[in-house]
Amino acid sequence: MKWLSKIFKGSNHRVSYGDDQGRDTTTTSRDGRNKGAEKTVGDDLDHAIALSLSEEDHKNERGREHSDYDEELARAVQASLDITDRLPSSSTVRESSLGLHRCAGCNKEIGPGRFLSCMGAMWHPQCFCCHACKQPISGTEFAVSGNEPYHKDCYRELYHPRCEVCHNFIPPNSARLIEYRAHPFWGQKYCPAHEEDGTPRCCSCERMEPRDARYIGLDDGRKLCLECLDTAVMDTHECQPLYHEIQDFYEGMNMKMPQPIPMLLVERQALNEARQNEKDGSHHLPETRGLCLSEEQTISTVYRRPRPSRHIPFGEMRTESMKLTRHCEVTAILVLFGLPRLLSGSILAHELMHAWLRLNGFPHLLDPVVEEGICQVIAHMWLDSQIGSSSSSTGKSKPKSFNHDRLREFFLHQIAMDSSPAYGQGFRTGHQAVVQFGLKRTLDHIKLTGSFPV
């Protein structure tokens, strides 16, 4: 660099100021061996002294400016050298720096040769290793997590979220940020695009269908995951043991039904048509899963349906039309077919509570928040009781499974976290009343005032 050479030239000039021959010449001009020259200038001594002093002053002034400039540049060079010592940019360590640095990996002194300076420490190249694969990190880029270095590929495999539907790395959005969706209960992470590309969800547990799994399709367009399929209730005959279990649950709370009520499993279309023909009642849109009928209607029920398996698709479904006549305030209870036992049971418990209220003299037009809320409280109580052994849709007991427990927790979570005013806020208000006053006092207060006790 030109300015460096200029500085060093100036420094040499200062360091090499004078030599032996120059000093001898100056001396001889003082010891009289050059008297002729001294005499020649003797006559103009005063004039020479004056000129010399003036010229010396001028030279000293320029010399001070030049010296200040040289010293300033010299300080800049030294600062540059100091920085280089602290943060070596070269892979070669000078002998003078040995012993001053220790490898952060092996804690041994860094000798002559190549070394790395990163993460605020010095490393032997073979000691700077990926925390995941334990292999040395070469190249110029690496990732850090928890103060540990990683190869970029290793870091991505460990920490970059993968979509649990397509199993690819979730791509960044337009702002270069990783954006994904996650189910609030299951935690299933997936690309936002899958909400728009027709990826199906299980109609029971709401999980999206992974690309390497196969959900079972129902005739009405719904799909079931294999876990929910294991205990799915497929027809009216198969649901009878579960219905009797729910009725026993009511009797255990001293809430026996005054008279038998027909129960039918139906398809989605039949359920929606029956809902439209009902004059009263609140329904949880967009999907109705159960209904307590109070009007006379002709209903197409799922009478027989061969059970599917993981490898054998559904067989032919048999339906049967039934004319429902009204003998009391309740005509029948309808439940959507093809749902797992726990969900079917909670729907039955909910709809049976509507029937119990109508058959026991409660106000006919209760506030939906109160009526739907107390029905959800009963459904929640039944789900909460399903601990221990689980049962198949045929009523046969079998050891509980992890899937049974997780599904129960999910359906409980759905009831508790519902955001709708009637079903969600109604449940939370009703649940608080039952906890504080008990179920009997709460029901008595509702019958008398049409509201929850506070």
Side-chain angles (χ1 to χ4, degrees):
M1 294 171 62
K2 290 184 178 179
W3 67 273
L4 275 175
S5 63
K6 183 176 180 180
I7 293 170
F8 291 143
K9 194 179 298 181
S11 294
N12 290 337
H13 175 73
R14 288 195 302 271
V15 172
S16 303
Y17 174 77
D19 54 25
D20 291 339
Q21 186 178 356
R23 284 194 294 273
D24 289 342
T25 303
T26 304
T27 303
T28 55
S29 66
R30 293 180 179 177
D31 64 8
R33 282 180 290 178
N34 204 1
K35 302 228 173 146
E38 186 177 354
K39 181 178 180 181
T40 302
V41 299
D43 294 338
D44 299 322
L45 180 61
D46 293 339
H47 180 65
I49 291 173
L51 289 176
S52 175
L53 291 174
S54 175
E55 184 175 279
E56 186 67 23
D57 290 341
H58 184 62
K59 288 172 62 179
N60 288 340
E61 183 177 354
R62 286 184 301 171
R64 281 194 299 272
E65 294 177 355
H66 184 70
S67 176
D68 292 341
Y69 176 74
D70 284 351
E71 289 176 3
E72 183 177 352
L73 292 179
R75 283 194 297 271
V77 172
Q78 185 58 47
S80 175
L81 293 175
D82 290 344
I83 291 174
T84 303
D85 287 341
R86 289 195 302 270
L87 299 173
S89 59
S90 170
S91 59
T92 302
V93 182
R94 297 192 305 271
E95 188 71 25
S96 60
S97 68
L98 296 181
L100 297 180
H101 302 299
R102 287 186 175 273
C103 173
C106 65
N107 201 34
K108 295 180 181 179
E109 290 187 359
I110 296 177
R114 296 177 59 84
F115 69 93
L116 300 175
S117 175
C118 50
M119 297 177 62
M122 302 293 185
W123 309 74
H124 294 117
Q126 67 273 17
C127 294
F128 188 60
C129 295
C130 172
H131 188 65
C133 68
K134 311 303 181 186
Q135 297 300 311
I137 299 175
S138 59
T140 58
E141 294 183 342
F142 60 96
V144 177
S145 177
N147 204 33
E148 299 289 353
Y150 293 84
H151 290 116
K152 291 183 69 177
D153 290 342
C154 293
Y155 179 88
R156 192 180 191 198
E157 287 290 339
L158 287 172
Y159 297 108
H160 191 117
R162 279 186 182 270
C163 174
E164 296 178 33
V165 174
C166 64
H167 305 302
N168 296 324
F169 290 116
I170 296 176
N173 59 18
S174 58
R176 306 301 300 167
L177 300 175
I178 303 300
E179 178 184 1
Y180 59 86
R181 303 287 187 267
H183 192 280
F185 179 82
W186 301 108
Q188 183 187 38
K189 300 181 181 69
Y190 54 90
C191 303
H194 296 317
E195 292 185 337
E196 310 293 337
D197 63 7
T199 300
R201 291 180 182 270
C202 175
C203 65
S204 168
C205 67
E206 299 181 349
R207 284 176 287 191
M208 277 194 166
E209 180 182 44
R211 294 290 186 261
D212 58 352
R214 179 173 174 264
Y215 283 9
I216 302 298
L218 303 177
D219 294 334
D220 53 13
R222 293 177 293 142
K223 283 201 169 185
L224 275 174
C225 69
L226 299 182
E227 288 81 2
C228 292
L229 177 66
D230 282 343
T231 61
V233 184
M234 302 308 300
D235 58 51
T236 300
H237 175 76
E238 190 178 24
C239 192
Q240 292 305 315
L242 179 61
Y243 185 40
H244 294 317
E245 180 183 327
I246 303 297
Q247 291 175 315
D248 291 341
F249 176 74
Y250 270 77
E251 289 186 18
M253 298 186 294
N254 295 317
M255 296 171 61
K256 184 177 180 179
M257 290 294 159
Q259 61 187 60
I261 301 171
M263 185 278 303
L264 306 173
L265 253 63
V266 297
E267 296 179 277
R268 175 192 280 177
Q269 182 178 353
L271 186 61
N272 290 337
E273 290 175 355
R275 183 191 67 188
Q276 293 172 2
N277 293 329
E278 281 289 293
K279 295 179 181 179
D280 304 316
S282 299
H283 308 289
H284 204 176
L285 299 177
E287 179 78 281
T288 299
R289 293 173 169 176
L291 188 63
C292 180
L293 284 182
S294 59
E295 304 292 332
E296 291 189 353
Q297 297 190 38
T298 299
I299 302 296
S300 177
T301 178
V302 180
Y303 181 66
R304 282 287 184 185
R305 179 84 190 243
R307 285 194 57 77
S309 68
R310 296 171 181 260
H311 307 291
I312 302 174
F314 288 106
E316 182 181 357
M317 180 171 61
R318 293 175 56 186
T319 60
E320 182 179 60
S321 293
M322 294 185 64
K323 175 68 175 179
L324 300 175
T325 57
R326 177 170 177 169
H327 300 290
C328 60
E329 291 295 321
V330 179
T331 306
I333 290 175
L334 307 182
V335 176
L336 187 63
F337 90 101
L339 300 176
R341 177 186 174 275
L342 286 170
L343 181 54
S344 298
S346 68
I347 294 170
L348 274 171
H350 176 104
E351 300 303 333
L352 204 59
M353 188 60 188
H354 281 298
W356 190 90
L357 293 173
R358 295 176 190 178
L359 296 175
N360 283 275
F362 281 72
H364 181 62
L365 294 176
L366 278 173
D367 183 345
V369 172
V370 176
E371 183 167 354
E372 300 298 341
I374 194 64
C375 290
Q376 287 290 77
V377 168
I378 299 300
H380 191 276
M381 291 173 63
W382 180 80
L383 281 170
D384 201 36
S385 71
Q386 298 300 293
I387 303 175
S389 64
S390 61
S391 300
S392 66
S393 58
T394 59
K396 295 180 180 179
S397 181
K398 62 180 181 179
K400 70 174 182 177
S401 64
F402 173 78
N403 182 59
H404 171 273
D405 289 340
R406 290 294 287 162
L407 276 178
R408 185 181 68 89
E409 292 169 6
F410 170 65
F411 298 137
L412 288 169
H413 174 269
Q414 273 193 316
I415 293 174
M417 304 306 295
D418 196 310
S419 60
S420 65
Y423 290 80
Q425 189 56 47
F427 162 75
R428 289 183 283 274
T429 305
H431 182 264
Q432 182 178 359
V434 170
V435 169
Q436 183 174 356
F437 301 104
L439 180 60
K440 185 178 185 305
R441 286 184 60 188
T442 299
L443 291 174
D444 290 342
H445 193 276
I446 293 173
K447 189 174 185 178
L448 181 65
T449 66
S451 62
F452 289 119
V454 292

